[in-house]
Amino acid sequence: LDDSCGKFFQNLSPEKASITVRQLFTFTSGFAGNLTGPTACVEDIQFKGTLAECVNDILQENLTSSPGQYLNYGSNSMHIAGRMAEMASGLPYPSGECWDSLYAKYVKKPLGMTRTGFDVPPIFFTANPRIDGGVYSTALEYVAVPTMLVQNGMYKGKQVLSEENVRLMCSDQTGDATILYSPIMQLLPIEK
């Protein structure tokens, strides 16, 4: 969680290089949130590039705040973290296919999810999976995820996630970041 962007990407500003995986997955990285809109390639299903190409576009954008300062819910950060996972894996697959392979190995297979994924064959295939919410599933298959989390990472007698990782996932990782934008804000009444 404390690996930084600078470990994986060259030629970043010192501020961008310091952003950690923890900050990327807790929306405290400083990259633009969804209130102002993610980078076009993140949400555009017509984008024909790879996850790596989309992340290169994201990394060219200016930060909207200092890393760790604000929680600004958005897709860009999760895309960057997904690309970092591909790079850290060392798998010899092209970007996008590498993410699919990691997802299959660590999520789909251990949870018995045969109909869950980022592509919808034969309708839609992508080398730029929407890591923030582009996975499709069925209710029956999805129930394996919360079941595994409630059982401290265990599912059908197999340890899928360590108890420590489940604890980390269920604990506050945002530190002192102020909430700048979260989707829940759209549902709350505005006080006058």
Side-chain angles (χ1 to χ4, degrees):
L1 291 176
D2 294 317
D3 278 353
S4 67
C5 286
K7 180 176 177 178
F8 296 93
F9 304 108
Q10 303 297 310
N11 304 318
L12 296 178
S13 69
E15 198 170 37
K16 284 182 185 175
S18 74
I19 296 168
T20 65
V21 172
R22 183 185 319 272
Q23 290 169 325
L24 291 166
F25 274 120
T26 60
F27 310 112
T28 61
S29 67
F31 282 99
N34 284 3
L35 183 61
T36 55
T39 303
C41 62
V42 174
E43 301 287 338
D44 182 4
I45 63 171
Q46 302 304 316
F47 178 75
K48 300 299 181 202
T50 65
L51 175 61
E53 291 166 334
C54 184
V55 167
N56 286 340
D57 289 350
I58 295 168
L59 290 172
Q60 299 307 308
E61 295 185 359
N62 292 325
L63 296 178
T64 59
S65 64
S66 295
Q69 184 178 12
Y70 294 110
L71 185 155
N72 193 6
Y73 183 90
S75 306
N76 287 351
S77 292
M78 293 185 81
H79 241 57
I80 297 167
R83 177 61 183 142
M84 290 168 70
E86 284 188 334
M87 296 167 82
S89 76
L91 292 175
Y93 302 126
S95 181
E97 185 180 329
C98 184
W99 174 261
D100 289 342
S101 297
L102 291 168
Y103 185 75
K105 179 178 179 179
Y106 293 107
V107 179
K108 281 180 66 165
K109 187 175 179 182
L111 296 178
M113 301 170 117
T114 60
R115 299 174 61 193
T116 300
F118 288 90
D119 296 320
V120 184
I123 302 164
F124 180 69
F125 295 93
T126 183
N128 182 36
R130 260 191 64 216
I131 293 167
D132 69 314
V135 71
Y136 72 90
S137 191
T138 66
L140 188 59
E141 285 197 0
Y142 173 74
V143 78
V145 175
T147 300
M148 180 264 302
L149 291 174
V150 167
Q151 296 175 0
N152 294 315
M154 187 78 85
Y155 186 73
K156 293 190 175 180
K158 291 185 207 166
Q159 196 71 44
V160 177
L161 290 177
S162 71
E163 288 186 37
E164 174 63 8
N165 282 339
V166 173
R167 186 192 66 71
L168 284 169
M169 289 173 65
C170 296
S171 64
D172 180 9
Q173 299 291 313
T174 60
D176 295 329
T178 301
I179 298 175
L180 183 65
Y181 170 70
S182 171
I184 191 69
M185 297 169 101
Q186 295 172 329
L187 304 173
L188 298 174
I190 297 173
E191 293 183 25
K192 295 183 181 189

